[in-house]
Short mmCIF file of all heavy atoms in Angstrom, two decimals:
data_model
loop_
_atom_site.label_atom_id
_atom_site.label_comp_id
_atom_site.label_asym_id
_atom_site.label_seq_id
_atom_site.Cartn_x
_atom_site.Cartn_y
_atom_site.Cartn_z
N PRO K 175 -12.19 -7.24 -15.00
CA PRO K 175 -13.15 -8.31 -14.68
C PRO K 175 -14.51 -8.00 -15.29
O PRO K 175 -14.73 -6.88 -15.78
CB PRO K 175 -13.22 -8.27 -13.15
CG PRO K 175 -12.78 -6.91 -12.76
CD PRO K 175 -11.86 -6.41 -13.83
N PRO K 176 -15.46 -8.95 -15.28
CA PRO K 176 -16.81 -8.63 -15.75
C PRO K 176 -17.43 -7.51 -14.91
O PRO K 176 -16.99 -7.25 -13.79
CB PRO K 176 -17.56 -9.95 -15.56
CG PRO K 176 -16.70 -10.83 -14.75
CD PRO K 176 -15.31 -10.34 -14.84
N GLU K 177 -18.47 -6.90 -15.47
CA GLU K 177 -19.06 -5.71 -14.83
C GLU K 177 -19.60 -5.92 -13.43
O GLU K 177 -19.58 -5.01 -12.62
CB GLU K 177 -20.21 -5.19 -15.71
CG GLU K 177 -19.73 -4.17 -16.69
CD GLU K 177 -20.84 -3.60 -17.53
OE1 GLU K 177 -22.02 -3.93 -17.28
OE2 GLU K 177 -20.51 -2.82 -18.44
N ASP K 178 -20.10 -7.14 -13.19
CA ASP K 178 -20.69 -7.37 -11.86
C ASP K 178 -19.65 -7.83 -10.85
O ASP K 178 -19.98 -8.39 -9.81
CB ASP K 178 -21.83 -8.40 -11.96
CG ASP K 178 -21.32 -9.78 -12.38
OD1 ASP K 178 -20.17 -9.87 -12.87
OD2 ASP K 178 -22.07 -10.76 -12.20
N ASN K 179 -18.37 -7.63 -11.17
CA ASN K 179 -17.31 -8.07 -10.25
C ASN K 179 -16.77 -6.92 -9.43
O ASN K 179 -16.76 -5.77 -9.88
CB ASN K 179 -16.15 -8.67 -11.04
CG ASN K 179 -15.42 -9.75 -10.28
OD1 ASN K 179 -15.90 -10.87 -10.20
ND2 ASN K 179 -14.28 -9.42 -9.69
N ASP K 180 -16.32 -7.23 -8.24
CA ASP K 180 -15.59 -6.29 -7.41
C ASP K 180 -14.13 -6.27 -7.89
O ASP K 180 -13.81 -6.90 -8.90
CB ASP K 180 -15.71 -6.76 -5.96
CG ASP K 180 -15.63 -5.60 -4.99
OD1 ASP K 180 -15.11 -4.55 -5.38
OD2 ASP K 180 -16.06 -5.77 -3.84
N ALA K 181 -13.24 -5.61 -7.14
CA ALA K 181 -11.84 -5.53 -7.57
C ALA K 181 -11.12 -6.88 -7.52
O ALA K 181 -10.10 -7.06 -8.19
CB ALA K 181 -11.11 -4.52 -6.70
N SER K 201 -12.66 -14.79 -7.41
CA SER K 201 -13.31 -13.48 -7.52
C SER K 201 -14.25 -13.20 -6.36
O SER K 201 -14.57 -14.09 -5.55
CB SER K 201 -14.06 -13.44 -8.87
OG SER K 201 -15.42 -13.11 -8.76
N LYS K 202 -14.69 -11.93 -6.31
CA LYS K 202 -15.77 -11.50 -5.42
C LYS K 202 -16.74 -10.72 -6.29
O LYS K 202 -16.31 -9.86 -7.08
CB LYS K 202 -15.18 -10.59 -4.34
CG LYS K 202 -16.22 -10.07 -3.36
CD LYS K 202 -15.82 -8.72 -2.80
CE LYS K 202 -15.12 -8.85 -1.48
NZ LYS K 202 -14.75 -7.55 -0.90
N ASN K 203 -18.04 -11.00 -6.16
CA ASN K 203 -18.97 -10.23 -6.99
C ASN K 203 -19.39 -8.94 -6.29
O ASN K 203 -19.00 -8.69 -5.14
CB ASN K 203 -20.16 -11.09 -7.45
CG ASN K 203 -21.13 -11.42 -6.33
OD1 ASN K 203 -21.07 -10.84 -5.24
ND2 ASN K 203 -22.01 -12.38 -6.59
N LYS K 204 -20.16 -8.11 -6.98
CA LYS K 204 -20.53 -6.80 -6.42
C LYS K 204 -21.43 -6.93 -5.19
O LYS K 204 -21.58 -5.98 -4.43
CB LYS K 204 -21.22 -5.95 -7.50
CG LYS K 204 -20.22 -5.38 -8.51
CD LYS K 204 -20.36 -3.85 -8.64
CE LYS K 204 -19.10 -3.23 -9.18
NZ LYS K 204 -19.10 -3.03 -10.63
N ASP K 205 -22.04 -8.11 -4.99
CA ASP K 205 -22.81 -8.32 -3.75
C ASP K 205 -21.93 -8.78 -2.60
O ASP K 205 -22.43 -9.13 -1.53
CB ASP K 205 -23.90 -9.40 -3.98
CG ASP K 205 -24.92 -8.96 -5.02
OD1 ASP K 205 -25.18 -7.74 -5.10
OD2 ASP K 205 -25.43 -9.83 -5.75
N GLY K 206 -20.63 -8.84 -2.85
CA GLY K 206 -19.71 -9.22 -1.78
C GLY K 206 -19.59 -10.72 -1.56
O GLY K 206 -19.13 -11.15 -0.51
N LEU K 207 -19.96 -11.52 -2.56
CA LEU K 207 -19.89 -12.97 -2.41
C LEU K 207 -18.71 -13.56 -3.19
O LEU K 207 -18.45 -13.13 -4.33
CB LEU K 207 -21.18 -13.62 -2.93
CG LEU K 207 -22.46 -13.27 -2.16
CD1 LEU K 207 -23.69 -13.79 -2.89
CD2 LEU K 207 -22.42 -13.87 -0.74
N ARG K 209 -16.71 -16.15 -5.49
CA ARG K 209 -17.14 -16.99 -6.61
C ARG K 209 -15.92 -17.30 -7.49
O ARG K 209 -14.83 -16.75 -7.29
CB ARG K 209 -18.22 -16.28 -7.43
CG ARG K 209 -17.74 -14.98 -8.06
CD ARG K 209 -18.84 -14.35 -8.90
NE ARG K 209 -18.34 -13.14 -9.53
CZ ARG K 209 -19.02 -12.44 -10.44
NH1 ARG K 209 -20.22 -12.83 -10.82
NH2 ARG K 209 -18.49 -11.35 -10.98
N LEU K 211 -14.81 -17.59 -11.64
CA LEU K 211 -15.18 -17.26 -13.02
C LEU K 211 -14.42 -18.18 -13.98
O LEU K 211 -13.31 -18.64 -13.65
CB LEU K 211 -14.79 -15.81 -13.33
CG LEU K 211 -15.26 -14.76 -12.32
CD1 LEU K 211 -14.73 -13.38 -12.71
CD2 LEU K 211 -16.78 -14.75 -12.25
N TYR K 223 -15.17 -14.80 -21.96
CA TYR K 223 -15.75 -14.98 -20.63
C TYR K 223 -16.93 -15.93 -20.71
O TYR K 223 -17.84 -15.75 -21.52
CB TYR K 223 -16.19 -13.62 -20.09
CG TYR K 223 -16.86 -13.69 -18.73
CD1 TYR K 223 -16.29 -14.39 -17.68
CD2 TYR K 223 -18.07 -13.01 -18.50
CE1 TYR K 223 -16.90 -14.45 -16.44
CE2 TYR K 223 -18.68 -13.06 -17.26
CZ TYR K 223 -18.09 -13.78 -16.23
OH TYR K 223 -18.70 -13.83 -15.00
N GLY K 225 -18.63 -16.99 -17.72
CA GLY K 225 -19.52 -16.79 -16.57
C GLY K 225 -18.98 -17.38 -15.29
O GLY K 225 -17.92 -18.03 -15.28
N PRO K 226 -19.70 -17.14 -14.18
CA PRO K 226 -19.30 -17.73 -12.90
C PRO K 226 -19.67 -19.21 -12.86
O PRO K 226 -20.79 -19.57 -13.25
CB PRO K 226 -20.10 -16.96 -11.84
CG PRO K 226 -21.14 -16.21 -12.57
CD PRO K 226 -20.89 -16.27 -14.05
N THR K 229 -20.89 -19.80 -6.98
CA THR K 229 -20.90 -18.57 -6.16
C THR K 229 -21.29 -18.94 -4.73
O THR K 229 -22.13 -19.83 -4.52
CB THR K 229 -21.94 -17.57 -6.73
OG1 THR K 229 -21.64 -17.32 -8.10
CG2 THR K 229 -21.94 -16.24 -5.98
#
Side-chain angles (χ1 to χ4, degrees):
E177 269 182 5
D178 65 344
N179 211 78
D180 208 339
S201 126
K202 179 209 265 181
N203 71 13
K204 284 234 158 94
D205 297 328
L207 295 171
R209 62 178 182 172
L211 310 177
Y223 178 49
T229 304

